[in-house]
Amino acid sequence: MTLPARHDDAGLVRAYLDHVRVDKRLADRTLILYTADLDKLQANAREAGVALVDVMPAHVRRWVAQMHSGGRSARGIALILSGWRGFYGWLGRQGLIQQHPVNDVRAPKAGKPLPKALPVDEAVRLASYEDAEDDPALEARDACIAELLYGCGLRIGELVGLDAAASATARGWIDLQGAEAHVLGKGSKRRSVPVGRAALEALRRWLELRAAFAREDAALFIGQRGQRLTPQYIRVRLKRRSIKAGLATPVHPHMLRHSFASHVLQSSGDLRAVQELLGHASIGTTQVYTRLDFQHLARVYDAAHPRAQARKPRGK
């Protein structure tokens, strides 16, 4: 293939697109996206007064900053950079550039999505729901699981690791008299978490019926064959319970941990205490819940304050 002149930007782009279409057999949809990305690259280069082969990393960083400030998502910018990176890699293989201007440029970090937390009324409805159609023992067990996940903020691994009684080999257990759950968390770190009245009552009901399933397994939560429950099994049962309870969103175990943290923070405002209850090694990990808390405050403000409507743009 005869290459266009070194400073023939449009010709170089056409040659590259022919290369990826023929040699890489890209799908038509992908080729359209590549074309759009390279059109944007050419427009940026023209505005900067440089040929594509003379683009430097500083140019690319400036264009990334402009896209970011213009509202382009981190993922969208990353996809554009990927297209540019392929183009400049090809130019390099053709001997047309000395320095790859995109290789060391990265898209902005995507913001971490907020963990999903249930409203208080839905969390309580899930925990207190009674499935009259289910086996009484299974219903008591699942109710206890929901109470402990929401009432103590346990991780699913901490929950399945609980034994029915304290022992030298137990990873975790619940002290009914002291109303405390002793668990083995991440990094093999032990912590104790208070257990509320509702969870203790649910635990007593389950222990009374557990004997019908128990064989030699020391696990607190067991199936009908006496085996320790797996995280996947609990996820399935919890999702089923949330649907039958009429919740708007199917619930998974970590959602109840998020709900626990968010609701405790809303009531207490004590971020350090929430960190200890969750077993986070760093306060930074816990600070995501301050964002959840602010969302709650914003909803209350918008619903209750007589001047709240003034914050909203007209026509929205």
Side-chain angles (χ1 to χ4, degrees):
M1 177 179 66
T2 302
L3 289 175
R6 187 172 182 273
H7 286 81
D8 179 5
D9 289 355
L12 289 174
V13 167
R14 284 194 301 271
Y16 172 68
L17 291 174
D18 285 342
H19 159 69
V20 294
R21 177 178 57 83
V22 175
D23 296 348
K24 293 194 173 183
R25 298 181 181 179
L26 291 186
D28 289 344
R29 172 61 179 164
T30 306
L31 196 63
I32 290 171
L33 295 175
Y34 271 45
T35 302
D37 291 344
L38 293 176
D39 285 346
K40 184 171 185 62
L41 177 63
Q42 290 183 84
N44 288 337
R46 280 195 302 270
E47 186 177 347
V50 295
L52 290 181
V53 293
D54 295 325
V55 167
M56 303 297 290
H59 292 116
V60 179
R61 291 190 182 95
R62 182 164 66 249
W63 299 335
V64 166
Q66 290 170 349
M67 287 189 285
H68 186 53
S69 63
R72 176 85 65 168
S73 70
R75 174 171 170 74
I77 294 172
L79 290 172
I80 290 172
L81 286 177
S82 177
W84 293 358
R85 200 170 284 119
F87 172 65
Y88 277 104
W90 177 79
L91 288 181
R93 291 191 296 275
Q94 308 310 314
L96 295 175
I97 57 173
Q98 298 299 317
Q99 178 185 14
H100 195 307
V102 189
N103 258 354
D104 295 328
V105 180
R106 296 291 177 263
K109 288 186 177 180
K112 292 183 179 180
L114 287 173
K116 294 180 180 178
L118 294 171
V120 173
D121 59 338
E122 289 199 0
V124 171
R125 189 197 316 171
L126 177 68
S128 59
Y129 172 72
E130 293 185 12
D131 187 354
E133 299 177 354
D134 205 354
D135 178 281
L138 296 181
E139 161 57 27
R141 182 199 64 193
D142 291 354
C144 185
I145 287 172
E147 287 283 5
L148 286 174
L149 287 172
Y150 174 56
C152 301
L154 301 184
R155 299 180 177 95
I156 183 64
E158 295 167 350
L159 182 91
V160 299
L162 292 172
D163 279 0
S167 71
T169 59
R171 290 173 54 197
W173 66 91
I174 295 178
D175 179 355
L176 280 168
Q177 297 301 317
E180 287 184 314
H182 301 276
V183 298
L184 185 67
K186 285 187 176 180
S188 298
K189 294 181 179 179
R190 292 196 174 275
R191 76 179 190 282
S192 298
V193 184
V195 181
R197 177 184 53 80
L200 288 173
E201 290 178 359
L203 179 58
R204 290 189 179 97
R205 286 197 301 273
W206 161 236
L207 288 174
E208 289 175 1
L209 298 169
R210 177 183 174 278
F213 294 167
R215 289 177 174 78
E216 295 182 2
D217 201 317
L220 175 59
F221 294 113
I222 55 178
Q224 290 173 301
R225 297 180 180 178
Q227 79 283 10
R228 187 183 296 268
L229 297 186
T230 65
Q232 181 57 30
Y233 179 86
I234 291 178
R235 291 188 185 98
V236 171
R237 293 290 296 187
L238 189 61
K239 180 179 179 180
R240 172 182 179 273
R241 181 180 183 84
S242 65
I243 292 172
K244 296 195 75 171
L247 271 65
T249 303
V251 174
H252 56 79
H254 222 64
M255 189 184 294
L256 291 181
R257 177 170 160 87
H258 294 321
S259 302
F260 162 83
S262 179
H263 299 165
V264 170
L265 184 61
Q266 287 171 12
S267 299
S268 68
D270 192 335
L271 188 65
R272 184 67 66 180
V274 173
Q275 177 194 3
E276 294 294 328
L277 290 169
L278 293 175
H280 285 162
S282 167
I283 192 71
T285 308
T286 318
Q287 283 176 331
V288 65
Y289 295 104
T290 63
R291 296 162 65 196
L292 285 171
D293 189 40
F294 179 80
Q295 286 189 338
H296 167 76
L297 294 175
R299 286 195 298 270
V300 171
Y301 177 90
D302 288 338
H305 197 284
R307 302 294 286 174
Q309 295 302 316
R311 298 193 315 146
K312 297 179 179 178
R314 291 181 181 179
K316 293 188 178 180

PDB file of all heavy atoms in Angstrom, residues 121-138:
ATOM      1  N   ASP A 121     -38.251   2.063  55.312  1.00  0.00           N
ATOM      2  CA  ASP A 121     -39.494   1.285  55.380  1.00  0.00           C
ATOM      3  C   ASP A 121     -39.382  -0.023  54.597  1.00  0.00           C
ATOM      4  O   ASP A 121     -39.932  -1.056  55.019  1.00  0.00           O
ATOM      5  CB  ASP A 121     -40.680   2.117  54.894  1.00  0.00           C
ATOM      6  CG  ASP A 121     -40.510   2.606  53.455  1.00  0.00           C
ATOM      7  OD1 ASP A 121     -39.365   2.680  52.986  1.00  0.00           O
ATOM      8  OD2 ASP A 121     -41.537   2.913  52.808  1.00  0.00           O
ATOM      9  N   GLU A 122     -38.651  -0.018  53.471  1.00  0.00           N
ATOM     10  CA  GLU A 122     -38.512  -1.244  52.697  1.00  0.00           C
ATOM     11  C   GLU A 122     -37.577  -2.236  53.393  1.00  0.00           C
ATOM     12  O   GLU A 122     -37.804  -3.448  53.351  1.00  0.00           O
ATOM     13  CB  GLU A 122     -38.005  -0.939  51.288  1.00  0.00           C
ATOM     14  CG  GLU A 122     -39.029  -0.247  50.420  1.00  0.00           C
ATOM     15  CD  GLU A 122     -38.726  -0.360  48.943  1.00  0.00           C
ATOM     16  OE1 GLU A 122     -37.703  -0.987  48.585  1.00  0.00           O
ATOM     17  OE2 GLU A 122     -39.518   0.160  48.145  1.00  0.00           O
ATOM     18  N   ALA A 123     -36.528  -1.723  54.023  1.00  0.00           N
ATOM     19  CA  ALA A 123     -35.615  -2.609  54.756  1.00  0.00           C
ATOM     20  C   ALA A 123     -36.358  -3.281  55.910  1.00  0.00           C
ATOM     21  O   ALA A 123     -36.199  -4.490  56.157  1.00  0.00           O
ATOM     22  CB  ALA A 123     -34.423  -1.816  55.284  1.00  0.00           C
ATOM     23  N   VAL A 124     -37.173  -2.524  56.611  1.00  0.00           N
ATOM     24  CA  VAL A 124     -37.940  -3.081  57.736  1.00  0.00           C
ATOM     25  C   VAL A 124     -38.972  -4.079  57.213  1.00  0.00           C
ATOM     26  O   VAL A 124     -39.192  -5.136  57.814  1.00  0.00           O
ATOM     27  CB  VAL A 124     -38.622  -1.952  58.524  1.00  0.00           C
ATOM     28  CG1 VAL A 124     -39.590  -2.524  59.555  1.00  0.00           C
ATOM     29  CG2 VAL A 124     -37.565  -1.076  59.214  1.00  0.00           C
ATOM     30  N   ARG A 125     -39.604  -3.753  56.081  1.00  0.00           N
ATOM     31  CA  ARG A 125     -40.601  -4.670  55.526  1.00  0.00           C
ATOM     32  C   ARG A 125     -39.966  -6.001  55.142  1.00  0.00           C
ATOM     33  O   ARG A 125     -40.532  -7.077  55.381  1.00  0.00           O
ATOM     34  CB  ARG A 125     -41.251  -4.054  54.286  1.00  0.00           C
ATOM     35  CG  ARG A 125     -42.455  -4.869  53.794  1.00  0.00           C
ATOM     36  CD  ARG A 125     -42.867  -4.536  52.370  1.00  0.00           C
ATOM     37  NE  ARG A 125     -42.895  -3.110  52.103  1.00  0.00           N
ATOM     38  CZ  ARG A 125     -43.057  -2.609  50.876  1.00  0.00           C
ATOM     39  NH1 ARG A 125     -43.161  -3.420  49.833  1.00  0.00           N
ATOM     40  NH2 ARG A 125     -43.067  -1.308  50.678  1.00  0.00           N
ATOM     41  N   LEU A 126     -38.780  -5.959  54.573  1.00  0.00           N
ATOM     42  CA  LEU A 126     -38.098  -7.196  54.202  1.00  0.00           C
ATOM     43  C   LEU A 126     -37.751  -8.022  55.430  1.00  0.00           C
ATOM     44  O   LEU A 126     -37.954  -9.241  55.456  1.00  0.00           O
ATOM     45  CB  LEU A 126     -36.825  -6.878  53.431  1.00  0.00           C
ATOM     46  CG  LEU A 126     -35.973  -8.086  53.032  1.00  0.00           C
ATOM     47  CD1 LEU A 126     -36.693  -8.923  51.984  1.00  0.00           C
ATOM     48  CD2 LEU A 126     -34.602  -7.654  52.515  1.00  0.00           C
ATOM     49  N   ALA A 127     -37.233  -7.358  56.459  1.00  0.00           N
ATOM     50  CA  ALA A 127     -36.818  -8.078  57.655  1.00  0.00           C
ATOM     51  C   ALA A 127     -38.005  -8.681  58.398  1.00  0.00           C
ATOM     52  O   ALA A 127     -37.917  -9.789  58.942  1.00  0.00           O
ATOM     53  CB  ALA A 127     -36.045  -7.143  58.578  1.00  0.00           C
ATOM     54  N   SER A 128     -39.126  -7.972  58.419  1.00  0.00           N
ATOM     55  CA  SER A 128     -40.284  -8.433  59.202  1.00  0.00           C
ATOM     56  C   SER A 128     -41.266  -9.272  58.392  1.00  0.00           C
ATOM     57  O   SER A 128     -42.250  -9.791  58.944  1.00  0.00           O
ATOM     58  CB  SER A 128     -41.022  -7.226  59.793  1.00  0.00           C
ATOM     59  OG  SER A 128     -41.460  -6.353  58.772  1.00  0.00           O
ATOM     60  N   TYR A 129     -41.008  -9.441  57.102  1.00  0.00           N
ATOM     61  CA  TYR A 129     -41.926 -10.194  56.242  1.00  0.00           C
ATOM     62  C   TYR A 129     -42.016 -11.654  56.694  1.00  0.00           C
ATOM     63  O   TYR A 129     -41.022 -12.264  57.091  1.00  0.00           O
ATOM     64  CB  TYR A 129     -41.441 -10.136  54.796  1.00  0.00           C
ATOM     65  CG  TYR A 129     -42.205 -11.026  53.851  1.00  0.00           C
ATOM     66  CD1 TYR A 129     -43.499 -10.711  53.474  1.00  0.00           C
ATOM     67  CD2 TYR A 129     -41.631 -12.189  53.351  1.00  0.00           C
ATOM     68  CE1 TYR A 129     -44.209 -11.531  52.607  1.00  0.00           C
ATOM     69  CE2 TYR A 129     -42.321 -13.013  52.480  1.00  0.00           C
ATOM     70  CZ  TYR A 129     -43.607 -12.684  52.110  1.00  0.00           C
ATOM     71  OH  TYR A 129     -44.306 -13.507  51.259  1.00  0.00           O
ATOM     72  N   GLU A 130     -43.215 -12.210  56.637  1.00  0.00           N
ATOM     73  CA  GLU A 130     -43.430 -13.622  56.967  1.00  0.00           C
ATOM     74  C   GLU A 130     -44.062 -14.314  55.768  1.00  0.00           C
ATOM     75  O   GLU A 130     -45.124 -13.907  55.304  1.00  0.00           O
ATOM     76  CB  GLU A 130     -44.325 -13.765  58.200  1.00  0.00           C
ATOM     77  CG  GLU A 130     -43.686 -13.258  59.482  1.00  0.00           C
ATOM     78  CD  GLU A 130     -44.559 -13.516  60.704  1.00  0.00           C
ATOM     79  OE1 GLU A 130     -45.543 -14.287  60.575  1.00  0.00           O
ATOM     80  OE2 GLU A 130     -44.269 -12.956  61.767  1.00  0.00           O
ATOM     81  N   ASP A 131     -43.404 -15.343  55.288  1.00  0.00           N
ATOM     82  CA  ASP A 131     -43.899 -16.105  54.142  1.00  0.00           C
ATOM     83  C   ASP A 131     -44.699 -17.298  54.661  1.00  0.00           C
ATOM     84  O   ASP A 131     -44.140 -18.332  55.036  1.00  0.00           O
ATOM     85  CB  ASP A 131     -42.718 -16.565  53.283  1.00  0.00           C
ATOM     86  CG  ASP A 131     -43.169 -17.215  51.985  1.00  0.00           C
ATOM     87  OD1 ASP A 131     -44.391 -17.413  51.810  1.00  0.00           O
ATOM     88  OD2 ASP A 131     -42.300 -17.520  51.139  1.00  0.00           O
ATOM     89  N   ALA A 132     -46.018 -17.152  54.666  1.00  0.00           N
ATOM     90  CA  ALA A 132     -46.883 -18.203  55.210  1.00  0.00           C
ATOM     91  C   ALA A 132     -46.876 -19.458  54.357  1.00  0.00           C
ATOM     92  O   ALA A 132     -47.247 -20.541  54.829  1.00  0.00           O
ATOM     93  CB  ALA A 132     -48.309 -17.669  55.345  1.00  0.00           C
ATOM     94  N   GLU A 133     -46.445 -19.338  53.093  1.00  0.00           N
ATOM     95  CA  GLU A 133     -46.457 -20.497  52.195  1.00  0.00           C
ATOM     96  C   GLU A 133     -45.192 -21.339  52.316  1.00  0.00           C
ATOM     97  O   GLU A 133     -45.146 -22.458  51.806  1.00  0.00           O
ATOM     98  CB  GLU A 133     -46.611 -20.010  50.748  1.00  0.00           C
ATOM     99  CG  GLU A 133     -47.913 -19.250  50.490  1.00  0.00           C
ATOM    100  CD  GLU A 133     -47.983 -18.717  49.073  1.00  0.00           C
ATOM    101  OE1 GLU A 133     -46.969 -18.850  48.343  1.00  0.00           O
ATOM    102  OE2 GLU A 133     -49.033 -18.171  48.700  1.00  0.00           O
ATOM    103  N   ASP A 134     -44.172 -20.828  52.974  1.00  0.00           N
ATOM    104  CA  ASP A 134     -42.896 -21.525  53.052  1.00  0.00           C
ATOM    105  C   ASP A 134     -42.883 -22.479  54.239  1.00  0.00           C
ATOM    106  O   ASP A 134     -43.697 -22.370  55.178  1.00  0.00           O
ATOM    107  CB  ASP A 134     -41.757 -20.516  53.193  1.00  0.00           C
ATOM    108  CG  ASP A 134     -40.429 -21.067  52.689  1.00  0.00           C
ATOM    109  OD1 ASP A 134     -40.384 -22.267  52.347  1.00  0.00           O
ATOM    110  OD2 ASP A 134     -39.462 -20.302  52.625  1.00  0.00           O
ATOM    111  N   ASP A 135     -41.949 -23.412  54.217  1.00  0.00           N
ATOM    112  CA  ASP A 135     -41.723 -24.286  55.373  1.00  0.00           C
ATOM    113  C   ASP A 135     -41.381 -23.414  56.581  1.00  0.00           C
ATOM    114  O   ASP A 135     -40.548 -22.507  56.477  1.00  0.00           O
ATOM    115  CB  ASP A 135     -40.564 -25.227  55.046  1.00  0.00           C
ATOM    116  CG  ASP A 135     -40.226 -26.144  56.200  1.00  0.00           C
ATOM    117  OD1 ASP A 135     -39.541 -25.683  57.145  1.00  0.00           O
ATOM    118  OD2 ASP A 135     -40.615 -27.317  56.153  1.00  0.00           O
ATOM    119  N   PRO A 136     -42.018 -23.639  57.744  1.00  0.00           N
ATOM    120  CA  PRO A 136     -41.803 -22.766  58.907  1.00  0.00           C
ATOM    121  C   PRO A 136     -40.334 -22.639  59.309  1.00  0.00           C
ATOM    122  O   PRO A 136     -39.884 -21.552  59.689  1.00  0.00           O
ATOM    123  CB  PRO A 136     -42.624 -23.433  60.007  1.00  0.00           C
ATOM    124  CG  PRO A 136     -43.697 -24.173  59.282  1.00  0.00           C
ATOM    125  CD  PRO A 136     -43.066 -24.644  58.018  1.00  0.00           C
ATOM    126  N   ALA A 137     -39.591 -23.738  59.214  1.00  0.00           N
ATOM    127  CA  ALA A 137     -38.177 -23.678  59.594  1.00  0.00           C
ATOM    128  C   ALA A 137     -37.382 -22.842  58.598  1.00  0.00           C
ATOM    129  O   ALA A 137     -36.528 -22.029  58.981  1.00  0.00           O
ATOM    130  CB  ALA A 137     -37.606 -25.089  59.694  1.00  0.00           C
ATOM    131  N   LEU A 138     -37.649 -23.027  57.311  1.00  0.00           N
ATOM    132  CA  LEU A 138     -36.948 -22.243  56.292  1.00  0.00           C
ATOM    133  C   LEU A 138     -37.306 -20.766  56.408  1.00  0.00           C
ATOM    134  O   LEU A 138     -36.447 -19.889  56.238  1.00  0.00           O
ATOM    135  CB  LEU A 138     -37.282 -22.760  54.895  1.00  0.00           C
ATOM    136  CG  LEU A 138     -36.847 -24.187  54.569  1.00  0.00           C
ATOM    137  CD1 LEU A 138     -37.236 -24.548  53.135  1.00  0.00           C
ATOM    138  CD2 LEU A 138     -35.338 -24.343  54.752  1.00  0.00           C
TER     139      LEU A 138
END
